[in-house]
Amino acid sequence: MGDMHEDAEPGGAMSKSPATREFARRERPLSPHLTIYRPPITMTMSIIHRITGGALYFGTLLVAVWLMAAASSQATFDWVNWAFGTWLGRLILFGYTWALMHHMLGGVRHLVWDTGAGLEKHTASKIAWATLVGSVLLTLLIWIAGYMARGA
Amino acid sequence: MSGKNNTDMRTPLAKVRGLGSAREGTGHFWRQRLTAIANIPLMLFFVGFLIALNGSGYAEVRAALANPFVALVLALVLISGLIHMRLGMQVIIEDYITSEGLKLATIALNTFFTVAVGVASIFALLKLAFGG
Ligand code: HEM
Ligand code: HEM
């Protein structure tokens, strides 16, 4: 693209007027201005809905492994239980909880949109923030409840 | 599908049947919504079940999973969740993979993965329910 203009000299044959030639030589930003673009919250949440859906997809392996372990021997179950209980295991399960809660709230948002409601720009942004805050709160609640069940 | 097209004898449904990247018409969209709605109570049940089981050992977990009500609802959790995620992943594949051959292969892999997870999980549930 750029090399057409590289050796164009003032008054050369490349451009019809000096004004446009000067303009063409400068680096102009490309749409959608990736370096300065701040995605609206609705778009970020839309992308996260897809990412959490994909994470939940592969996370079903954890559910399958857990069920199979429970259906097999005590030793296998204890090993899987130990692995899920390590700090890395807990981090993954915590992330999985958040992914599920966020995807669920985002899914409800999609279902509401399917009825034609909640699509106005500012409403949509508010709902998007609500899904983010709601998903974090629900995840924390679930884990607090889980630790309380463990203590009881 | 506009009102102007009065001479067209085909119904709107006939026109969308078999459309889309995987030639499925609107069935895909509809099943994704249906399973999404079903997933809400089902996943909440699953999460509640796991909270209740937190800290339990082998014997307790097996006893809980062997409860017929729990086993039945967990089977529904798995079936609805797996159908939903397979449809969802297919949309992702259709969006990003443009080569027809690779698209076909990944859509097939998507189904294999879903069936593998489903069969393994449901077999485990049945084994526990019927006294494995
Ligand atoms: C002016 C700039 C942009 C416009 C107008 C725009 C518009 C859109 C629209 C209409 C959608 C579909 C929304 C939906 O699926 O509900 C979308 C999705 C998406 N956009 Fe953008 N976009 C822009 C910039 C960007 C940028 C800069 C990125 C990445 C850095 C990006 C990444 C994505 C992704 C990953 C999706 C898919 C989300 C999903 O599947 O739900 N977009 N965009
Ligand atoms: C908990 C209740 C759930 C609700 C309410 C829900 C809702 C939805 C909805 C409405 C969509 C369509 C989004 C769109 O059209 O862009 C969707 C997509 C998807 N869901 Fe779910 N879902 C739930 C649980 C799950 C689970 C458990 C999984 C995986 C195991 C999952 C995986 C996916 C995937 C992979 C997609 C495709 C994402 C995309 O196309 O961007 N969902 N979900």
Side-chain angles (χ1 to χ4, degrees):
Chain A
M1 255 185 87
D3 46 358
M4 274 179 71
H5 301 288
E6 263 165 19
D7 43 18
E9 285 173 19
M14 291 303 294
S15 247
K16 288 190 188 87
S17 90
T20 53
R21 193 178 60 241
E22 187 54 39
F23 202 59
R25 243 191 289 164
R26 239 184 283 142
E27 285 271 1
R28 278 174 296 164
L30 299 166
S31 177
H33 314 302
L34 289 181
T35 50
I36 57 158
Y37 181 74
R38 184 174 64 83
I41 185 69
T42 42
M43 203 176 103
T44 309
M45 290 303 113
S46 169
I47 297 166
I48 293 181
H49 188 76
R50 174 156 284 191
I51 293 171
T52 51
L56 291 169
Y57 180 96
F58 292 105
T60 55
L61 282 174
L62 298 175
V63 179
V65 164
W66 184 69
L67 285 175
M68 287 192 293
S72 61
S73 68
Q74 166 112 46
T76 313
F77 182 82
D78 286 345
W79 189 83
V80 169
N81 227 10
W82 168 82
F84 283 3
T86 59
W87 67 266
L88 182 63
R90 275 176 216 214
L91 193 70
I92 291 171
L93 291 178
F94 187 80
Y96 197 62
T97 312
W98 176 76
L100 184 62
M101 289 304 111
H102 191 280
H103 187 88
M104 185 177 77
L105 293 180
V108 171
R109 193 172 58 121
H110 267 282
L111 295 172
V112 171
W113 279 342
D114 288 346
T115 69
L119 284 163
E120 191 275 325
K121 194 168 69 179
H122 297 286
T123 316
S125 294
K126 272 188 207 132
I127 300 175
W129 278 112
T131 54
L132 184 60
V133 174
S135 65
V136 172
L137 285 180
L138 278 176
T139 305
L140 291 175
L141 264 176
I142 288 168
W143 278 67
I144 291 169
Y147 276 105
M148 275 165 61
R150 183 181 282 262
Chain B
M1 261 177 274
S2 71
K4 289 180 207 153
N5 233 351
N6 288 334
T7 52
D8 195 330
M9 303 290 280
R10 297 174 72 215
T11 63
L13 180 60
K15 282 184 223 162
V16 296
R17 260 193 195 130
L19 288 185
S21 189
R23 314 275 169 257
E24 293 186 331
T26 59
H28 182 120
F29 177 90
W30 179 239
R31 267 175 292 141
Q32 178 116 45
R33 261 71 195 161
L34 214 61
T35 50
I37 293 168
N39 274 349
I40 300 171
L42 290 172
M43 292 300 156
L44 290 177
F45 172 86
F46 183 57
V47 169
F49 179 68
L50 291 180
I51 291 175
L53 270 187
N54 210 310
S56 305
Y58 183 62
E60 285 167 285
V61 170
R62 281 170 70 92
L65 287 172
N67 176 301
F69 175 76
V70 169
L72 212 72
V73 179
L74 278 188
L76 291 178
V77 170
L78 286 164
I79 292 168
S80 179
L82 289 168
I83 293 175
H84 175 88
M85 76 164 204
R86 179 180 154 271
L87 291 168
M89 186 55 78
Q90 186 174 320
V91 174
I92 298 181
I93 291 168
E94 288 164 2
D95 279 355
Y96 300 134
I97 298 185
T98 46
S99 132
E100 281 295 329
L102 195 60
K103 186 159 76 189
L104 211 65
T106 42
I107 286 179
L109 265 181
N110 182 28
T111 303
F112 292 158
F113 178 85
T114 307
V115 171
V117 170
V119 167
S121 306
I122 289 177
F123 177 75
L125 272 182
L126 290 177
K127 187 163 178 273
L128 285 158
F130 295 118

